[in-house]
């Protein structure tokens, strides 16, 4: 019998519109400009322990996720987050303000200014009804570093200046700091007018694949840079989170070093920090094998999961070849790594997995019915016979 197909929701949970999961409500916080001051971060850590399960996730879109919140506790949690300035006034504004910003900005620079303007404009654009997953990036450092992160409208640099890019297009629209935000909203309206979201769902890349980009988008794109590695940067220390999750206690301790900036790389940038000491859930070494593993929540946290996942990911990480990556998924949906990976283990039943090579969690397996015990005992199963 084949495993049941996972449910596709087509929307993202927010703080005001949380999603029920296997371990309670998932409350996703869209921190303004992806930053929490030290005080905000320490207060969020405290709230996570009081109202949630004491674990915080950083999502692939730089959102902070509190898990294990009960429905009874949700109103008090929202009131506290509103006092901290971390929640919008309504769920529609929260959904529109889907903005990812390169974390390497300085107060008052071009990136910071554009992101603030775009954030304000999205909150004010009450007539703009975009799909829940539709998002923007402000990626205006020296070279784009967010291209591998899902987004629909991107503001970047090319060799000549600022450009606006419809995701999936090979050329963009030259803009200035004075026009970029207005043009970004115009491009979002173009997406809707062109039928990009027929039943409220849709992505720019899909639309661009079947229709021509806007005719004025003729400027060449900049060359993207690699995602940064863990360690010291000019803005602070970039520290990794084991599988994108951190205990609230470690989060609070990190915040004693400086404000925290959220990133899409399962990492936090701690403003102005150097020499951060080891903490549970933190990864400080850029060669740590856990960085080569993506794993989703799995059971019991996700109601769709067919198996637990995280401990197996921890156990297998040291056995993943240094030139490969492993994706361990609780079902065929593949939330933690929607793209193909060299090695993928997809759960088909409790502690039972299929192995897929160079594919996604739903692709045809090379090996089936692998038990977690066998994988732990003979982790070379991952690579044998490849
Ligand atoms: S991939 Fe993982 S987190 Fe996503 S629905 Fe399946 S089990 Fe849940």
């Amino acid at each position: 019998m084949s495993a049941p197909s996972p449910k596709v929701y087509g929307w993202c949970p927010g703080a005001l519109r949380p999603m029920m999961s296997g371990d309670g409500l998932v409350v996703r916080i869209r921190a303004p400009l992806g930053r929490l001051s030290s005080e905000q971060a320490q207060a969020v850590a405290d709230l996570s322990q009081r109202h949630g399960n004491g674990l915080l996730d950083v999502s692939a879109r730089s959102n902070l996720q509190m898990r294990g919140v009960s429905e009874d506790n949700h109103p008090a949690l929202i009131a506290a987050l509103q006092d901290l300035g971390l929640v919008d006034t309504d769920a529609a504004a929260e959904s529109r303000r889907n903005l990812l910003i390169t974390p390497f900005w300085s107060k008052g620079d071009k990136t910071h200014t554009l992101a603030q303007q775009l954030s304000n404009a999205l909150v004010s654009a009450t007539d703009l009804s975009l799909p829940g997953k539709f998002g923007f990036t402000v990626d205006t450092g020296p070279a784009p570093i967010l291209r591998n992160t899902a987004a629909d409208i991107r503001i970047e640099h090319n060799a000549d200046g600022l450009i606006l890019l419809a995701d999936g297009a090979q050329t963009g629209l030259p803009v200035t700091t004075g026009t970029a935000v207005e043009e970004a909203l115009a491009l979002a309206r173009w997406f809707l007018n062109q039928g990009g979201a027929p039943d409220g769902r849709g992505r720019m890349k899909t639309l661009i694949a079947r229709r021509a980009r806007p005719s004025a988008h003729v400027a060449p794109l900049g060359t993207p840079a690699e995602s940064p590695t863990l360690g010291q940067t000019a803005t602070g220390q970039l520290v990794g989170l084991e599988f994108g999750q951190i205990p609230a206690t470690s989060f609070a301790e990190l915040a004693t070093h400086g404000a925290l900036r959220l990133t899409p790389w399962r990492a936090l940038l701690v403003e102005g920090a150097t020499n951060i000491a080891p903490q549970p859930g933190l990864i400080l070494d850029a060669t740590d094998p856990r960085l080569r593993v993506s794993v989703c929540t799995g059971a019991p946290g996700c109601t769709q999961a067919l198996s637990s996942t995280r401990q197996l990911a921890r156990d297998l990480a040291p056995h993943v070849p240094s030139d490969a990556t492993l994706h361990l998924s609780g079902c065929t949906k593949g939330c933690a790594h929607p793209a193909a990976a060299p090695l993928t283990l997809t759960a088909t039943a409790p502690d039972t997995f299929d192995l897929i090579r160079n594919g996604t969690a739903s692709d045809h397996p090379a090996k089936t019915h692998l038990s977690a015990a066998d994988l732990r005992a003979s982790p070379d199963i991952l690579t044998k016979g490849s």
Side-chain angles (χ1 to χ4, degrees):
M1 198 175 72
S2 62
S5 299
K7 190 171 168 190
V8 177
Y9 289 95
W11 58 278
C12 293
L16 296 168
R17 194 184 175 205
M19 185 183 271
M20 184 52 83
S21 192
D23 54 359
L25 293 173
V26 177
V27 175
R28 188 174 284 178
I29 302 167
R30 279 199 175 141
L33 307 189
R35 177 183 188 269
L36 293 101
S37 68
S38 271
E39 297 71 27
Q40 284 173 322
Q42 281 169 356
V44 165
D46 178 54
L47 289 169
S48 161
Q49 288 175 294
R50 270 199 287 142
H51 297 302
N53 62 4
L55 292 171
L56 293 161
D57 294 332
V58 177
S59 78
R61 281 201 57 81
S62 299
N63 293 310
L64 189 63
Q65 224 162 247
M66 212 179 269
R67 302 193 68 96
V69 177
S70 73
E71 288 183 88
D72 288 349
N73 285 349
H74 185 246
L77 172 62
I78 292 301
L81 290 173
Q82 271 165 342
D83 286 347
L84 290 168
L86 291 173
V87 178
D88 295 87
T89 49
D90 62 80
E94 178 180 66
S95 173
R96 280 195 305 278
R97 195 174 55 77
N98 190 358
L99 169 62
L100 182 61
I101 163 174
T102 165
F104 302 109
W105 49 269
S106 305
K107 195 165 190 295
D109 72 2
K110 193 187 292 180
T111 300
H112 180 236
T113 305
L114 283 170
Q116 188 65 68
Q117 288 173 356
L118 182 54
S119 179
N120 295 344
L122 287 169
V123 169
S124 303
T126 49
D127 63 319
L128 196 58
S129 186
L130 292 166
K133 289 180 184 288
F134 195 96
F136 298 75
T137 58
V138 175
D139 190 11
T140 44
I145 53 172
L146 300 177
R147 282 267 183 89
N148 289 335
T149 304
D152 298 271
I153 294 180
R154 303 171 187 275
I155 304 176
E156 299 181 353
H157 270 136
N158 69 5
D160 301 318
L162 283 176
I163 56 163
L164 182 72
L165 171 63
D167 193 46
Q170 300 307 312
T171 49
L173 176 73
V175 289
T176 66
T177 44
T179 63
V181 169
E182 187 186 326
E183 292 290 356
L185 264 63
L187 185 55
R189 292 197 167 89
W190 175 88
F191 165 82
L192 293 173
N193 292 338
Q194 295 292 313
D199 41 26
R201 294 185 189 183
R203 301 303 300 258
M204 181 68 88
K205 199 174 192 168
T206 317
L207 177 70
I208 293 290
R210 61 184 163 85
R211 291 191 101 89
R213 50 159 173 71
S215 55
H217 286 227
V218 293
L221 307 187
T223 307
E226 296 282 317
S227 304
T229 50
L230 301 184
Q232 205 58 47
T233 77
T235 322
Q237 191 173 342
L238 191 63
V239 297
L241 312 183
E242 188 194 53
F243 311 133
Q245 191 168 78
I246 182 170
T249 45
S250 298
F251 194 76
E253 159 60 25
L254 267 188
T256 63
H257 295 268
L260 304 182
R261 296 190 188 183
L262 305 159
T263 83
W265 310 300
R266 298 186 292 174
L268 291 167
L269 181 61
V270 190
E271 280 181 18
T274 55
N275 296 320
I276 289 172
Q279 288 285 327
L282 270 194
I283 299 177
L284 300 172
D285 177 358
T287 64
D288 191 301
R290 290 170 293 176
L291 296 171
R292 297 198 295 277
V293 181
S294 309
V295 58
C296 72
T297 302
C302 175
T303 49
Q304 305 202 52
L306 300 169
S307 175
S308 61
T309 51
R310 291 202 173 226
Q311 189 54 49
L312 183 60
R314 222 167 261 130
D315 294 341
L316 292 180
H319 306 284
V320 177
S322 58
D323 59 351
T325 59
L326 169 67
H327 172 204
L328 215 151
S329 188
C331 77
T332 53
K333 198 166 169 186
C335 298
H337 190 84
L343 301 166
T344 299
L345 287 169
T346 302
T348 55
D351 285 327
T352 309
F353 295 83
D354 282 355
L355 172 66
I356 296 120
R357 295 214 165 94
N358 300 313
T360 68
S362 60
D363 280 342
H364 186 72
K367 296 182 184 177
T368 58
H369 301 102
L370 300 171
S371 76
D374 286 348
L375 285 160
R376 284 189 175 99
S378 310
D380 60 346
I381 292 173
L382 292 173
T383 47
K384 224 169 37 183
S386 55

